[in-house]
Amino acid sequence: MTAPIIGLVWVVVALPLLGAVLNGLIAVLRPQAKSAVSVIGPGVLVGAFIMAAAVVVGLAGLPPDAPQVVRIWPWLVAGRLDVDIAFLVDRLSAVMLLVVTGIGSLIHIFSIGYMRSDEGYARYFAYLNLFVVFMLVLVLGSNMPVVFIGWEGVGLASYLLIGFWFSDEQNAAAGKKAFLVNRIGDFGFLVAMFLVWNHVGALDFSTVLGAPWVPGGALVTAVTLFLFLGCAGKSAQIPLYVWLPDAMAGPTPVSALIHAATMVTAGVYLVARTGLLFAAAPLSSAVVAGIGALTALFAATIGLRQYDIKKVLAYSTVSQLGYMFVGVGAGAYAAGIFHLVTHAFFKALLFLGAGSVIHAMHHAYHATHSHDDAQDMRNMGGLRRYLPVTWVLMWIATLAIAGVPPFSGFFSKDEILGAAFARGAAGQPIYYVFYAMLVVAAFITAYYMARLMAMTFHGASRATAAEREQLHEAPWSMTGPLIVLGIGSAVAGVLNLPTLVGGHAWLEHWLEPVTGIATRLSGFRPVAGNHEAVLVGLAVLVGVAGLIAGFRATTARALVPAREAAPDTGLARLVYHKFYVDELYERFIVRPIVTFSRVFLWRIFDQGVVDGVAVNGSARLFRGIGWLGSRLQSGQVGLYIVVFVVGAIWILRTILG
Amino acid sequence: MAEIELVLRHFLASIGYAHWILHVLLILPLVGAVGLLLSPGSWARWFTLVVAALEFGLALGLWFAFDPTNGGIQFETTIAWIPGWGISYHVGLDGISLFMVLLATGMMPLLVWGSWHSIQNRRRGYYALLLALKAAMVGVFISLDLFLFYCFWELLLIPMYFLIGVWGSANRLYAATKFVIYTFAGSILMLVAIIAMVWLVGRSTGTYSFDYDHLLSNSAALGPAAPWLFTAFALAFAVKVPLFPFHTWLPDAHTEAPTAGSVDLAVILLKMGTYGFLRFAIPFFPAFALSKTVSAIFVTLAVAGIIYAALVSMVQPDLKRLVAYSSVSHLGFVMLGIWGSTVESVQGAIMVMLSHGISTGCLFFLIGMLYDRRHTRQIADFGGLARVAPLMATAFVITAFASIGLPGLNGFVGEFLVLLGSFGRYPLAVTLAATVVIFAAWYLLWAVQRVFFNPMTNPENRTMRDVDLRELAVLFPLVFSMVWMGIYPQPFLRRTEAASRRYVEMVRPYLPPPANAAAAGAAAAVVEARP
C-alpha cells in the first residue's frame, strides 16, 4: 500500500542534519574552508527539496485519505505512554515540506553571496541547516511531542541566528527575548498536551483528533486555548508578538526564512493540523480569529511609521500572520494554509530584496567609510536606478501583498476576507467586525508597502555622490533566487484559483482529506457567488487605493537623510515607538519579576528569613545555650559549693518531702 | 547490537559477575584510598584515575547484566554481620538504584581528570577522600539493611566536610560546618526512627532486625507511630534533596566546594534524598506519606521550590550559586514525580535524577574551568567569552539547553514524564510547575548572554584560552550523554520501567483516587474500545 518512497521521508530530514553536522565541524576545525561550506550548506537543502518532491509525488499516487505514518524509533515509552519518533506524511505536511525545502533552498543559495565575507560563514550555515532539520520535524511529527521537538528546536535555531553577531549586546538580548517569549507559548503547548493525555491517554494525532471530544465542551476549549497560546508565541500574535521585530537583528536571509516564510507560520500550521479540535471549540476559534484580526490591524499600524526597512517588513509579517489566523479561526483551514504559501513567496522575496538593498547600501557605506544606517529608508531613495532587478521584483511582491490581481496575495487574502465575511453571514456577527478590521488592515498594508517602495526606490537619491558611485546590483547568486521567488509571488495564486474566475480551487481539494472534515464540522459555508464578486471588488479597490495613497503621500514630502531628520512628534512618535508596548512589558512585567526575586525572594526571604532567622538563628540559639552552660563552669569553687548545697537541700527535701 | 549485549551477558554470567560486583564496587575505592596514602604523592592523580577508571569499567557491566524485566532486587547478597542485633551486610540493586550507581561511578574518572590541575596542595589526602566518598555513595545506594545504610549515609559527611573545609574557597569553613550540622541534624532523627522501627517491629514479630525486607513486610506493625517515624525520615531526606525551605545549605556548600566537590554534591548527594523517599520513607509508611494532607504538603513544597528556586537563581551574581539554586528547582520535579505516583511520573523522576546529574555536573565542570582560568565566578566579570573560547561556549550552551529542558536533550525526557504523569492527580500543581519552562530559560540564557555573549568589556578575558584536549575529554562524554538520552532514552527508560511499576503497584492501595478519576477512566475505556 505504502509507496516505498514515502518510507524514505527521513532522508529529507537527514540531509540537512548531515549538513548541520558537517558545517558545524568545519566551523570548529577549519572555519576558513568557505568553499566547502558553500557546497554543503545549500547542497543538502536542494537535495532535501528533490527528495521531498519525490515523496510528495509518491503521496499523490495514493488514495487521498491515506495518511502515511513512518516510524523511525521509539522515543518516550514509559508506563502507558508510547511515543515514537514518527513522521506523518499527508497532504498537509506535503505542502509544508515543499514550502520549507523549496523556499529554504532559495534562501540558502542567496546566503552564499550575502554571508560569504562573514567570518562565521560555516557557523551560519550550520545553524541554518539545523533550523531546517527542526522545521521539518515540526511539520512531519505524527504526534504532539515530536512536533514539540521541532517546535522548540526551531526556537533554538532562531535564538542562535538572531544572536549570530553575539558580540553586540542588542543582538544577544534579542535572541534571548525571542526564546523567552516563545517559551511562554511553549508552556501553553505543554499544558495542552497534558490535558489531551489526561483525556485521551495518547498523544498521536490520529488518536487525539479521533477521540470523543464534546463539541463546545470546556475540555476541548481549554485544550485549544492552551494550544493557541503556543501558536501565538511562535507566530508572533498579540500579546506575544514583541519578539519578532527584535528578531530582525539576525542576518537578513534568516529574517526571510525563519522570521517570515517558515517558522513563524508554524502556529497557523498547528491550528490547521489540529483543526478538528478547533472546529469543536467555537469559542477558541473565535478567539483565534479575533486575536488574528486585532494583530493584523495593530501591527500594520505600527508598520506605517517605521524607518528601518526590515522593521516595516517585520511588522508586516506579524500583520499577515494575523490574516492567516483569521482564516483558520473562521474554519477555512485551507485558506489559511493558502495564504501561508503565497506569503512565504512574497515575504521571502521582500526580505531578500531588502537584503539586496541593505547589501548595496552597506557596501557603499563601507567603501566610503560612512557610519550611516544601511537599513534606514530615509538614507535611501532613487535606488531603482542602481538596483533595477531588485526594484522590479520588489514591486511584484508589493502588488502581491497589497492584494492586487492577478498576483498571488490577492487570491489568498481574498479567501480569508471571504471566510470571515461568510462566518458573519452564518450567524456569528462578530466575524463581520473581524472582516472590517481586515479590510482596514488591507488598506494600511498597501499604504505602508507603497511608502516603503517610494522611500527606497523612488524620488531623489539621498545618498552622497561618493556613495552613489558604489551602489550596484547584487551578484547572480543573490538575484537568481529573487527571480524565482518573484515568479512564485506573481503566479502562486494559480494553486488555488477560485471557481469565481473559472478555477478549480486545486489546493483546497488537495487538502480536503486533511482539513475538509474540520471545515465542515466548524459549520463553515462559503459565501454565494454574487456576494463574493462584490467582496472581491471591494478588496481590490481598498488595496489599490492604499497603494496610491501611500505612494503619493510619501513622494509628496521632501525627504531628508536620517541624520538630518527631525524626530517625530505626537501620534507619529507614539507609533514610531510601537505604542511603547516593549517599554510597558519591561516596566510592568520583566522588571517587577526581577526586582521581586532579587529583593524579596532572595535577600529578604532566602537570606533573611530562611537562612538568617531559621538556620543561623537556631545555630545562635544553641550557641547561646552553650554559652550559658559555660558561664556556670566559671572555676570559682565558692559558686560550685553554693550550687551544690542548694541542690542537695532541694533533693533531700524532695526525697524526705 | 542486541547480539553484542547477549554475548556480554553470557560472558558476565560465566565469570560470576553478579555475585561479586557490588562488593568490589564498594571495596575497590576504599582499597584505593589506602593504597594512595601509602604510595608517593607524585603518583596520586594517576593512581586515582586508574582506580576510578577500573571502578567504572567494572560497574559498566551492570548495564548489561541487569535484567530490565525484573522489577525486584538483583545482584543480592546477605551476609550476617552483627547477628545479635539483627544487623547484616545486605546489598542489592534494582532499576531505581542502578543508574545512581552508574552515575556515581561514571562521574569518578571525570572528576579526577576534570580537576587535574585545580588541586595543588595535599593531593594525596584530597584524592583519598574523593575515593572514600565514592565508596560511601555506592554504599548508600546498594544497602538493604538500615543499619548499613545509615553507616554509609553518615560516612559520606566526613570526606565531604574535609573536601569543602580544606580545599574550598574563601568562606569554606562556614559552608562546611553548615553542611555537616544541617544534614546531621536531619539524619540523627532518622537514626532514632530506624531504632524505633526495629524495636516496634521486633516487639510484634519477635524478630529484631535492621533488614529492609523484614521491616518493609512488617511495616503494618508500626501502627500509630508511623506518622512520627515518617516525619523523622522525611526530614533527613528533605534536607538532603534539598526540599524547599530546607535548601539554604546547598548554595553555600556548592559555592565554596572545589569543583569535584560541587560536581559530587550535585550529581550524587542530592539524589540520596529523593532516593531515600522512593526506597524507604514512602514504602515504609505509604498510608501516611500518601495521605491527602501529607501529599498536599509535599507537592506544595515541591512546586514552591521549583518556581521559587528558579526565580532566586535568576538574580544570582555568582555562577555557582545560580546553578545551585537551579538544582533546587530540578529536584522539585523529582519530588513532584514521586508524589505523582504513576509509572510515568516515577520513571520521569528517576530520569530527572539521572539527567540533572549529567547536565548540572557538566555545568559545574565548566564553571570550574572558568574559575581555573580567571579565578572568579562572578557573572559580571565575564562577557563576550564565546569569541575567545568558542568550544567552551558551545559546550556551555548545549548543557544550558539540556538543563532548560529542550526536547531532544536529556532534561526534557524526565521533566516531561514527571509533569505528564502527575497531571491527572495534581493538575494545578503541574500547571504551575510547568511555568518554570519560562523561568529556567530566563535564568540560564541570561547567564549565557552575560558570560559568553555581549561585548567583551573586561580586558582580562581577552587572553582567556579555550578548552584543551583534557578538558574536552571530560566534557565530551557528558555532552554526548545529553544528546543520547534526549533522542534515544529507551535503554534508560527500559531499565527503570519494571522497578517503577513495582513501586507504583506497591503504593497504589494507599493512593487517594485522582480528582477526575471518572473522566480518566471513561476516556481510557473509550480508547481501549477503539480497534
Side-chain angles (χ1 to χ4, degrees), chain A residues 11-23:
Chain A
V11 176
V12 182
V13 185
L15 278 171
L17 183 61
L18 180 73
V21 171
L22 291 178
N23 285 325

Side-chain angles (χ1 to χ4, degrees), chain A residues 331-526:
Chain A
Y333 302 100
I337 295 294
F338 182 31
H339 197 55
L340 186 160
V341 175
T342 60
H343 177 259
F345 279 107
F346 61 69
K347 190 50 67 66
L349 175 55
L350 284 172
F351 265 112
L352 293 190
S356 170
V357 169
I358 295 165
H359 189 73
M361 294 296 291
H362 187 79
H363 177 78
Y365 286 155
H366 192 73
T368 57
H369 307 289
S370 165
H371 293 288
D372 279 330
D373 186 351
Q375 299 185 188
D376 196 315
M377 296 188 296
R378 285 171 295 190
N379 296 337
M380 301 174 184
L383 289 181
R384 69 176 187 278
R385 279 187 295 280
Y386 310 100
L387 303 162
V389 181
T390 308
W391 172 60
V392 171
L393 292 166
M394 287 279 276
W395 262 117
I396 292 175
T398 301
L399 294 174
I401 194 174
V404 176
F407 297 96
S408 61
F410 159 72
F411 296 101
S412 54
K413 187 188 276 189
D414 201 61
E415 276 197 26
I416 288 171
L417 289 171
F421 191 87
R423 269 274 155 181
Q428 285 180 279
I430 186 76
Y431 279 85
Y432 281 133
V433 180
F434 301 158
Y435 169 77
M437 289 160 81
L438 291 193
V439 171
V440 177
F443 178 83
I444 301 175
T445 305
Y447 190 100
Y448 68 67
M449 281 313 300
R451 171 176 173 270
L452 180 147
M453 292 306 291
M455 285 183 86
T456 309
F457 290 101
H458 295 267
S461 174
R462 293 178 291 281
T464 62
E467 286 160 7
R468 259 176 271 163
E469 290 275 298
Q470 300 289 336
L471 287 171
H472 55 76
E473 189 68 87
W476 270 105
S477 70
M478 287 166 73
T479 46
L482 286 182
I483 291 169
V484 178
L485 287 171
I487 295 168
S489 304
V491 305
V494 300
L495 284 176
N496 206 30
L497 276 189
T499 40
L500 188 69
V501 295
H504 297 290
W506 180 82
L507 184 70
E508 203 177 316
H509 284 126
W510 168 260
L511 289 174
E512 164 71 26
V514 186
T515 59
I517 306 172
T519 299
R520 279 190 294 281
L521 192 71
S522 73
F524 178 79
R525 304 265 178 292

Side-chain angles (χ1 to χ4, degrees), chain B residues 117-127 166-168 172:
Chain B
H117 300 296
S118 319
I119 302 301
Q120 301 293 352
N121 58 336
R122 295 182 241 192
R123 275 198 185 139
R124 267 195 304 185
Y126 175 83
Y127 288 109
V166 177
W167 289 272
R172 56 182 181 267

